[in-house]
Amino acid sequence: MCGIVGYIGKKDVRNLLLEGLKRLEYRGYDSSGLVVFSPTGFNVIKRIGRVAKLVEATSKNSAKGTLGISHTRWATHGGVTESNTHPHVSSDGKIAMVHNGVIENYVEMKKFLEIKGFSFSSETDSEALSNLIAYHYAKEKEDGEDTSRFFTAVRKALSHVEGTYGIAVTCVDYPDELIGARKGSPLILGVGKGEYILASDESAIITHTSNVVYLDDNEMVSMSRDGFRVVSAADEGIDPVINTIDWNIEDSEKGKFEHYMLKEIFEQPAALENAMRGRFSDDGSTAIFGGLNLTPRELRQIDRLLFTSCGTAWHSCLVAEYLIERYARIPVEVEYASELRYRNAPLDKNTLVFVVTQSGETIDTLGALREAQRRGYRTLAITNGVGSTIAREADGGIYQHAGPEVGVASTKAFTSQLLIVAMLALYLGRLRDMSYTDGAEMVKALRSVPNLVRETLKQDQHIKAIAAKYAGYADFLFLGRQAMFPIALEGALKLKEISYIHAEGYPAAEMKHGPIALICEECPSVFIATGGEIFQKVLSNIQEVKARKGKVILIHSKSCEVPDGLVDDTIIIPDAADSVMPILATVPLQLLSYYIAVERGCDVDKPRNLAKSVTVE
Ligand code: F6R
């Protein structure tokens, strides 16, 4: 949420910042701005709307420099206006700052600063921080300090902040220094040769260097063209660990696809292969995970699992509940992270907590993780965010290796999570009651998934035609039972977020207890029924909809027998084991929502009001 790029080095900073902002635009796209530190001082350009507007405005400006900061905004405090757009320059003109996060005590700060003579031109919380840094900067001067005055001023200002921040700051008197700091909002340092890039995530860094330092909470970094130093809030030097980004720029390009979302849907077979690579035992009867940091004996002591996360990743947790309870016979509870973190949930001492998160940066998921750790629980993360805050703070976990997901609507990260929770069900099952033969059969089923997804993707044009038929409706129901219930929730969420159509997911049988009142010719239902003993029952639910003139799209597996003329449209997925059905059933739902959104002319990769990584509460 909000993207930051800062640079100090030898290159023309303008183009570099704009290129970085374009890559970070999926984090927020209400407005964007930058500061180029030119020989004449700060050169500020801001525009409302997409980064393209800023690019256009910047092309008319001749300011040049090799130090600068920039920001693409997802509005929290204050509307989408040019004055609320970052960077915020302090009212004395000394400090320019971009900020991601929320300054909770900004009202008090503002009152204090107004008394001290600072003025405000925006409604943002962030401007209070830039003025507070300027206040401390002026005060340091009075106190007679010099070389580290700018750095000290930032550190002192941050000590008064309640809330979260990832910031990049420059000072008009320090043309050779760029400062960054983080608490609760991600910030990464790219380490080049004589140049440093500060960014909210790796995608703005990867074209310049693959060497990165993941800053931890309460750390500050000061960069010059000759080097950098990282210090703690207590001003103690920290030995930075330089990591290598494990993907390359082509992975984050759109290639031949019109949208990232479509590209990522089609990348799913590869993402699934990556999630499994090297993760089955030599005898092919169980999964192996290198990073759980728990021995089989310790895992045997666990008698309850708690899965927590947000949004689409929360749907993965619900599927985990069905699969792990069924195959491993361990009770699983699922909680929204935003609720869990403030709820005083009584947890058994032998509970193991799993957080599931594509980005590894979602603030509520991070909050739930920290709360669980505070209470002494062991926490594991399933995440695609290598080096992310959650990956670093959890006691262990499983990386998804799905590659960068740029489309705001999660697709490949979701199915890769579904595969990992199925592998986890297998692993935990084999530690308990699952036989060698059943384990081997499940491994075979899991290994077949990438090809089955490839087969499902061949329905692309058929689904596009169905989408064209249904794109004009204003309400949809998504209905499924057992493990297809969370998939129905995911189908509804996907449609809502990218096409702005109202959609609800429900357990198919639960429909009779209320939502059936919505059924009419104008409200189509998407049923997901993949066979098994409840298939006939779902057919009865479909009959109930048809009796009320509701249109029905049915996603079913090949061998299911559907009475002729019962439904309006069908999408057939391959037959497969129950453990992998949630993955196969998801793919047509992704395509359906994608094509409906395209048909309606929506901006699929950057849906209204959304941002990819939700780093504010
Ligand atoms: C929906 C979507 C969101 C995320 C949610 C959690 O398509 O992407 O609902 O799933 O914001 O994000 P992560 O997984 O990064 O924690």
Side-chain angles (χ1 to χ4, degrees):
M1 216 153 237
C2 297
I4 290 177
V5 193
Y7 175 83
I8 183 164
K10 297 180 182 85
K11 291 185 187 137
D12 171 20
V13 75
R14 232 170 31 159
N15 292 337
L16 195 141
L17 294 179
L18 290 171
E19 185 214 324
L21 285 185
K22 279 190 236 158
R23 293 192 180 282
L24 291 187
E25 200 174 10
Y26 69 102
R27 300 179 66 89
Y29 30 84
D30 290 332
S31 63
S32 57
L34 54 78
V35 167
V36 171
F37 200 138
S38 71
T40 54
F42 291 154
N43 238 280
V44 185
I45 310 169
K46 300 180 183 189
R47 281 298 177 272
I48 293 171
R50 301 290 159 93
V51 173
K53 294 262 173 58
L54 185 69
V55 173
E56 200 188 311
T58 310
S59 67
K60 294 176 193 137
N61 182 297
S62 59
K64 284 225 173 320
T66 54
L67 164 61
I69 56 175
S70 61
H71 187 270
T72 175
R73 180 170 187 244
W74 186 86
T76 57
H77 294 59
V80 181
T81 63
E82 215 155 279
S83 53
N84 287 338
T85 301
H86 299 222
H88 289 291
V89 177
S90 58
S91 64
D92 64 359
K94 290 287 184 191
I95 300 293
M97 188 200 76
V98 291
H99 168 230
N100 170 21
V102 173
I103 311 291
E104 288 167 4
N105 56 338
Y106 80 104
V107 176
E108 297 133 59
M109 256 183 211
K110 228 171 143 172
K111 275 188 202 150
F112 168 80
L113 288 161
E114 273 164 350
I115 294 166
K116 297 289 174 189
F118 286 85
S119 61
F120 289 81
S121 56
S122 81
E123 304 151 305
T124 65
D125 52 335
S126 311
E127 194 184 11
L129 182 55
S130 100
N131 271 337
L132 191 67
I133 296 171
Y135 163 77
H136 281 284
Y137 182 69
K139 205 160 169 282
E140 287 301 304
K141 193 176 178 186
E142 282 164 20
D143 295 348
E145 295 206 17
D146 198 25
T147 49
S148 58
R149 211 170 101 210
F150 172 32
F151 188 82
T152 308
V154 178
R155 191 168 53 75
K156 287 193 174 165
L158 290 177
S159 70
H160 296 286
V161 170
E162 284 165 27
T164 55
Y165 55 80
I167 54 168
V169 202
T170 63
C171 172
V172 81
D173 301 328
Y174 285 73
D176 299 312
E177 187 172 8
L178 171 64
I179 291 177
R182 72 156 277 178
K183 183 183 169 198
S185 300
L187 201 61
I188 301 173
L189 170 68
V191 181
K193 289 198 180 86
E195 62 176 3
Y196 299 94
I197 305 162
L198 209 50
S200 303
D201 71 43
E202 296 161 344
S203 54
I205 295 176
I206 185 83
T207 43
H208 305 283
T209 175
S210 51
N211 296 327
V212 289
V213 174
Y214 300 105
L215 293 179
D216 276 325
D217 272 358
N218 299 310
E219 284 182 357
M220 280 177 68
V221 59
S222 160
M223 292 146 274
S224 72
R225 290 174 186 81
D226 300 324
F228 72 99
R229 65 188 173 106
V230 180
V231 300
S232 68
D235 208 14
E236 282 158 2
I238 288 170
D239 259 351
V241 179
I242 299 186
N243 301 270
T244 309
I245 301 175
D246 68 348
W247 49 274
N248 56 47
I249 191 64
E250 289 75 38
D251 296 335
S252 66
E253 303 283 357
K254 250 192 303 196
K256 63 178 180 171
F257 291 92
E258 203 185 327
H259 295 102
Y260 280 108
M261 182 178 177
L262 191 61
K263 178 195 175 221
E264 287 157 6
I265 290 173
F266 275 86
E267 276 175 349
Q268 290 178 110
L272 294 164
E273 269 155 9
N274 288 342
M276 285 189 287
R277 185 156 296 123
R279 284 186 171 155
F280 291 118
S281 61
D282 289 344
D283 70 355
S285 77
T286 190
I288 39 176
F289 297 108
L292 295 183
N293 299 334
L294 281 164
T295 62
R297 195 179 291 265
E298 283 169 324
L299 277 165
R300 289 280 328 197
Q301 309 299 317
I302 300 296
D303 46 30
R304 183 168 288 272
L305 302 178
L306 174 65
F307 274 76
T308 186
S309 58
C310 305
T312 284
W314 183 74
H315 299 152
S316 306
C317 297
L318 292 177
V319 173
E321 180 179 10
Y322 281 98
L323 297 186
I324 293 173
E325 291 194 345
R326 172 167 170 184
Y327 295 106
R329 311 293 307 143
I330 305 173
V332 176
E333 253 176 86
V334 179
E335 281 264 7
Y336 281 116
S338 52
E339 291 298 312
L340 179 71
R341 61 183 299 195
Y342 294 116
R343 199 163 77 82
N344 195 12
L347 297 179
D348 186 83
K349 69 176 180 344
N350 293 330
T351 298
L352 175 62
V353 177
F354 272 92
V355 298
V356 183
T357 165
Q358 188 284 128
S359 61
E361 299 293 351
T362 301
I363 196 90
D364 283 320
T365 309
L366 179 60
L369 172 94
R370 287 178 177 164
E371 175 64 10
Q373 287 181 332
R374 191 194 58 74
R375 295 208 210 168
Y377 288 94
R378 185 99 64 153
T379 57
L380 297 179
I382 297 173
T383 182
N384 198 31
V386 175
S388 60
T389 310
I390 289 178
R392 282 177 291 139
E393 292 197 13
D395 300 314
I398 305 169
Y399 275 131
Q400 298 182 228
H401 299 304
E405 190 179 67
V406 180
V408 167
S410 185
T411 52
K412 64 174 179 174
F414 177 63
T415 48
S416 128
Q417 286 161 1
L418 296 183
L419 181 63
I420 286 170
V421 298
M423 290 164 72
L424 196 60
L426 163 70
Y427 176 68
L428 297 172
R430 289 285 286 132
L431 287 181
R432 293 172 184 236
D433 299 336
M434 193 188 282
S435 70
Y436 171 89
T437 320
D438 289 349
E441 208 168 294
M442 195 156 163
V443 169
K444 222 166 114 198
L446 297 171
R447 281 196 162 129
S448 70
V449 175
N451 277 338
L452 295 175
V453 169
R454 278 186 192 101
E455 214 178 308
T456 310
L457 286 168
K458 288 184 188 151
Q459 305 239 31
D460 175 55
Q461 290 306 304
H462 169 58
I463 296 170
K464 186 176 178 181
I466 296 178
K469 241 170 104 177
Y470 288 87
Y473 288 90
D475 296 287
F476 273 79
L477 283 181
F478 285 76
L479 302 159
R481 296 185 76 159
Q482 302 290 292
M484 294 306 137
F485 159 53
I487 302 307
L489 290 177
E490 174 62 7
L493 179 66
K494 245 15 13 140
L495 187 67
K496 267 187 275 213
E497 64 183 333
I498 60 170
S499 68
Y500 321 137
I501 294 175
H502 167 248
E504 285 190 46
Y506 251 89
E510 192 63 21
M511 176 191 64
K512 295 186 291 296
H513 302 284
I516 199 164
L518 297 171
I519 302 288
C520 64
E521 272 177 290
E522 300 311 315
C523 176
S525 299
V526 181
F527 276 87
I528 308 127
T530 53
E533 65 269 26
I534 50 158
F535 185 68
Q536 291 306 324
K537 294 188 190 299
V538 180
L539 288 185
S540 305
N541 299 141
I542 294 175
Q543 297 281 9
E544 289 151 15
V545 170
K546 290 310 295 177
R548 288 158 183 87
K549 296 196 168 58
K551 298 220 162 24
V552 171
I553 303 169
L554 173 62
I555 297 172
H556 69 87
S557 37
K558 212 167 174 180
S559 61
C560 293
E561 284 178 24
V562 182
D564 280 348
L566 176 66
V567 300
D568 299 273
D569 289 282
T570 54
I571 301 168
I572 301 172
I573 57 176
D575 287 322
D578 289 351
S579 56
V580 299
M581 270 306 178
I583 301 173
L584 299 186
T586 298
V587 176
L589 293 170
Q590 296 169 337
L591 288 168
L592 187 67
S593 58
Y594 171 77
Y595 283 118
I596 289 180
V598 170
E599 190 73 27
R600 291 166 72 96
C602 300
D603 188 346
V604 171
D605 285 332
K606 298 189 187 77
R608 184 170 77 194
N609 303 338
L610 292 177
K612 182 77 182 156
S613 179
V614 183
T615 53
V616 293
E617 274 194 61

